[in-house]
């Protein structure tokens, strides 16, 4: 047991209590942030005349040495310390003696841990953002290649109207674009420095909080020291944004799984991203997509957990807040893994364009266009809907598509039909006549792809 606070106590902490209380097994992840924050703190203390320059040099040298040694595997983060803050401080004192004891001047572990966690999260927001960018690039490249790849669009998982693969992918581009924007929002809102909040009421030392904030790349200091040590909103926002990312990935995964099924065969997942069965030799399973779909629950769990942890905590710091770490770390690592793997799977996946097009042709996806044809020839839409309904029924009975009917057959149901009906219900007519922005027609898609390219250039 190695603690920073033995002075007031006459008895040793019970070992079970110590273990229950300790956080080093997971907050060891924050060693670099802890050291970086301490270096900035010490530079500020010296600038303000609270520490001598000699002490400052010694402390910074010591801290940099600890960082380098941990990174090189020369110094092990020992679990005999209560938390990462105690480990760094005790190791520093061990290595440089007296000056090390001055490191914690004008600081509490409450503002220290608030800072460490913010520094960590800030970097992770950035990393997640880069992974989203990679995914957006992969989606855009599929879009560019497939403005003329016809496929059925679905509602209720029933074939609805013909679209293109570019159009379908575009829906995911929009989702992940919003995710990207959420990351930017979070970064902007969280980028204030809690260091200098002390335990909760600031300190009596003449700290220059603006200076510390600037050294650490923050926009400025937090403006209320109570909130500074007890705010975990940015983690909740981040977990919520990650949950939305996972929800998007999960929907996408579900589609990949369906498309990769024997019945659909719209795509073939690359061998490198599939797995086999131990018993059934013919199997090639979409495990990666299934795992991404499955891991979504873990990330939602982290969000629910932290929301629940925070809901009853009075101001300011309470030990409950130590629970902000493990599940957050897990959620971040999970989301990063899922984003990277999903992007790899998408990049290597083969689209079976012929199957997509055949499926679109066989599902009466041009029925709405047949009704629109009648409307353009003076029939009221409700009547046109009824007429085309009869056509569809007729085709189902005969096992043919609308396009396969003879003009006589068309006319036997409505005399309004003429030879140009075939042109009106052709796949590329149905798609390419839909030219309003956001629709699948090639003209509209080309426009949107241009906007997306510009978006990624300015990313
Ligand atoms: N391990 C603690 C946490 O993660 C550090 C802060 C401890 N502060 C305290 N007053 N006990 O929240």
């Amino acid at each position: 047991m190695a603690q920073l606070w033995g002075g007031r106590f006459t008895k040793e902490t019970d070992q079970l209590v110590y273990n229950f209380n300790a956080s080093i097994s997971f907050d060891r992840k924050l060693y670099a942030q802890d050291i970086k924050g301490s270096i900035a703190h010490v530079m500020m203390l010296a600038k303000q005349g609270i520490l001598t320059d000699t002490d400052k040099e010694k402390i910074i040298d010591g801290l940099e040495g600890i960082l380098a040694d941990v990174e090189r595997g020369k110094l092990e983060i020992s679990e005999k310390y209560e938390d990462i803050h105690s480990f760094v401080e005790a190791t520093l004192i061990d290595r440089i003696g007296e000056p090390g004891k001055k490191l914690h001047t004008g600081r509490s572990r409450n503002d220290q841990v608030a800072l460490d966690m913010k520094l960590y999260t800030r970097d992770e927001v950035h990393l997640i953002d880069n992974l989203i960018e990679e995914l957006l690039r992969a989606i855009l490249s599929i879009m560019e290649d497939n403005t003329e790849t016809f496929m059925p669009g679905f509602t209720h998982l029933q074939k609805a109207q013909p679209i293109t693969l570019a159009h379908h992918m575009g829906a995911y581009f929009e989702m992940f674009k919003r995710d990207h924007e959420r990351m930017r929002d979070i970064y902007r809102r969280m980028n204030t420095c809690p260091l200098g909040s002390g335990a909760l009421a600031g300190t009596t030392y003449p700290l220059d909080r603006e200076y510390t904030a600037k050294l650490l790349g923050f926009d400025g200091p937090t403006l209320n020291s109570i909130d500074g040590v007890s705010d975990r909103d940015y983690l909740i926002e981040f977990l919520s944004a990650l949950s939305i990312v996972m929800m998007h990935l999960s929907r996408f995964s579900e589609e990949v799984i369906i498309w990769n099924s024997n019945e659909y065969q719209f795509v073939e997942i690359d061998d490198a991203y599939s797995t086999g069965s131990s018993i059934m030799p013919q199997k090639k399973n979409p495990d990666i997509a299934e795992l991404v779909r499955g891991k979504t629950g873990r990330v939602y769990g982290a969000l629910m957990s932290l929301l629940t942890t925070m809901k009853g905590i009075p101001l300011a710091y309470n030990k409950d807040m130590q629970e902000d770490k493990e599940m957050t770390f897990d959620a971040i690592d999970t989301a990063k893994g899922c984003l990277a793997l999903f992007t790899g799977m998408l990049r290597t996946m083969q689209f079976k364009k012929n199957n997509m097009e055949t499926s679109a042709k066989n599902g009466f996806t041009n029925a709405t266009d047949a009704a629109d044809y009648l409307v353009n020839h003076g029939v009221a839409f409700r009547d046109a809907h009824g007429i085309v309904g009869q056509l569809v029924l007729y085709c189902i009975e005969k096992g043919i598509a609308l396009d396969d009917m003879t003009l006589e057959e068309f006319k036997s149901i409505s005399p309004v039909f003429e030879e140009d009906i075939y042109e009106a219900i052709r796949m590329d007519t149905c798609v390419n006549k839909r030219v309003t922005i956001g629709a699948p027609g090639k003209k509209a898609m080309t426009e949107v792809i241009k906007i997306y390219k510009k978006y990624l250039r300015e990313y």
Side-chain angles (χ1 to χ4, degrees):
M1 286 191 248
Q3 295 143 326
L4 297 172
W5 40 261
R8 184 213 184 284
F9 290 77
T10 51
K11 263 168 80 180
E12 280 278 302
T13 318
D14 179 272
Q15 186 64 48
L16 283 177
V17 171
Y18 184 83
N19 296 346
F20 189 66
N21 203 43
S23 53
I24 187 115
S25 63
F26 48 87
D27 66 16
R28 54 188 301 145
K29 219 179 168 85
L30 299 173
Y31 72 89
Q33 288 76 11
D34 199 71
I35 291 173
K36 187 175 169 184
S38 290
I39 290 176
H41 181 62
V42 164
M43 285 173 71
M44 181 277 292
L45 290 179
K47 182 180 97 58
Q48 296 302 95
I50 304 165
L51 269 187
T52 64
D53 279 339
T54 332
D55 282 346
K56 173 187 89 174
E57 302 298 329
K58 284 187 182 142
I59 297 174
I60 293 180
D61 270 4
L63 288 170
E64 282 173 346
I66 294 173
L67 180 63
D69 288 350
V70 171
E71 233 122 63
R72 269 191 252 125
K74 275 177 65 187
L75 174 65
E76 202 207 323
I77 299 175
S78 159
E79 303 226 340
K80 81 172 202 259
Y81 295 96
E82 181 189 345
D83 54 28
I84 190 63
H85 326 296
S86 318
F87 166 77
V88 172
E89 191 177 323
T91 311
L92 182 72
I93 294 169
D94 222 36
R95 290 186 169 194
I96 68 166
E98 280 307 305
K101 296 183 184 164
K102 298 178 183 166
L103 168 63
H104 210 52
T105 314
R107 188 175 72 170
S108 155
R109 274 188 297 167
N110 297 352
D111 57 348
Q112 188 178 355
V113 77
L115 171 70
D116 291 3
M117 204 52 191
K118 253 195 181 174
L119 287 173
Y120 180 86
T121 308
R122 208 174 58 170
D123 286 348
E124 294 297 321
V125 169
H126 200 65
L127 289 176
I128 294 270
D129 203 16
N130 287 344
L131 288 166
I132 294 175
E133 181 191 338
E134 285 303 302
L135 177 55
L136 284 172
R137 287 188 195 285
I139 295 173
L140 186 57
S141 125
I142 298 171
M143 290 179 72
E144 289 184 86
D145 294 345
N146 290 287
T147 52
E148 281 168 302
T149 306
F150 300 119
M151 63 175 281
F154 297 87
T155 61
H156 314 274
L157 213 48
Q158 307 262 331
K159 292 179 195 178
Q161 289 174 338
I163 54 168
T164 64
L165 180 56
H167 189 232
H168 197 96
M169 286 293 141
Y172 286 104
F173 193 98
E174 285 290 319
M175 293 180 226
F176 292 111
K177 179 152 93 53
R178 288 194 290 272
D179 289 329
H180 155 67
E181 279 153 20
R182 266 186 279 275
M183 293 304 147
R184 297 243 151 145
D185 272 1
I186 292 169
Y187 196 99
R188 195 171 35 78
R189 202 171 12 261
M190 72 174 282
N191 202 26
T192 50
C193 183
L195 200 63
S197 298
L200 81 161
T203 71
T204 53
Y205 299 96
L207 307 184
D208 184 346
R209 295 194 58 209
E210 300 277 352
Y211 180 71
T212 322
K214 206 163 147 226
L215 285 180
L216 293 167
F218 287 103
D219 297 332
T222 52
L223 296 183
N224 181 291
S225 58
I226 300 175
D227 182 60
V229 292
S230 60
D231 166 36
R232 298 294 183 271
D233 287 5
Y234 66 97
L235 290 179
I236 292 173
E237 282 190 44
F238 189 31
L239 289 174
S240 138
L242 288 183
S243 295
I244 299 176
V245 169
M246 290 302 298
M247 180 268 288
H248 291 155
L249 284 176
S250 184
R251 291 181 78 177
F252 209 163
S253 293
E254 171 69 6
E255 297 212 298
V256 168
I257 294 162
I258 293 173
W259 290 2
N260 186 65
S261 69
N262 299 143
E263 283 68 24
Y264 274 73
Q265 297 186 38
F266 280 9
V267 298
E268 182 163 351
I269 299 176
D270 194 72
D271 277 5
Y273 285 87
S274 322
T275 49
S277 154
S278 61
I279 173 169
M280 297 166 283
Q282 84 281 15
K283 286 290 222 91
K284 199 174 137 185
N285 294 330
D287 284 24
I288 298 304
E290 288 171 9
L291 267 175
V292 169
R293 189 177 58 185
K295 284 176 189 288
T296 304
R298 266 166 92 145
V299 179
Y300 291 2
L303 171 64
M304 285 308 133
S305 157
L306 190 56
L307 276 170
T308 312
T309 297
M310 293 303 294
K311 81 181 248 304
I313 304 184
L315 295 174
Y317 178 86
N318 294 260
K319 190 75 172 198
D320 319 39
M321 287 174 165
Q322 181 167 289
E323 288 296 311
D324 65 352
K325 294 181 191 62
E326 281 165 287
M327 290 182 83
T328 303
F329 292 155
D330 181 76
I332 293 172
D333 292 344
T334 302
K336 281 199 298 195
C338 289
L339 276 165
L341 277 160
F342 192 92
T343 303
M345 179 179 70
L346 197 62
R347 280 218 169 97
T348 52
M349 198 160 79
Q350 270 189 41
F351 292 94
K352 300 188 167 176
K353 302 182 186 186
N354 286 340
N355 292 353
M356 289 182 160
E357 186 161 343
T358 310
S359 168
K361 280 188 176 148
N362 291 340
F364 300 105
T365 57
N366 50 3
T368 314
D369 295 83
D372 288 344
Y373 171 92
L374 291 172
V375 171
N376 288 331
H377 289 75
V379 181
F381 181 77
R382 195 46 60 212
D383 294 333
H385 189 285
I387 294 167
V388 178
Q390 288 177 49
L391 292 180
V392 169
L393 191 62
Y394 178 82
C395 287
I396 291 173
E397 277 162 5
K398 290 196 73 180
I400 57 172
L402 288 177
D403 316 59
D404 302 327
M405 289 174 68
T406 64
L407 189 56
E408 286 63 48
E409 287 173 310
F410 271 115
K411 278 188 172 297
S412 71
I413 294 176
S414 167
V416 181
F417 287 114
E418 295 297 342
E419 192 60 39
D420 57 352
I421 177 63
Y422 296 104
E423 164 68 20
I425 59 172
R426 251 180 42 214
M427 188 68 55
D428 63 346
T429 318
C430 297
V431 170
N432 288 322
K433 267 174 82 180
R434 293 177 149 81
V435 288
T436 51
I437 199 78
K442 182 157 186 188
K443 194 162 156 278
M445 272 325 295
T446 311
E447 201 56 40
V448 166
I449 287 175
K450 234 190 267 164
I451 297 172
Y452 289 172
K453 274 182 146 169
K454 183 164 179 286
Y455 179 81
L456 285 180
R457 254 200 317 276
E458 289 163 8
Y459 206 86

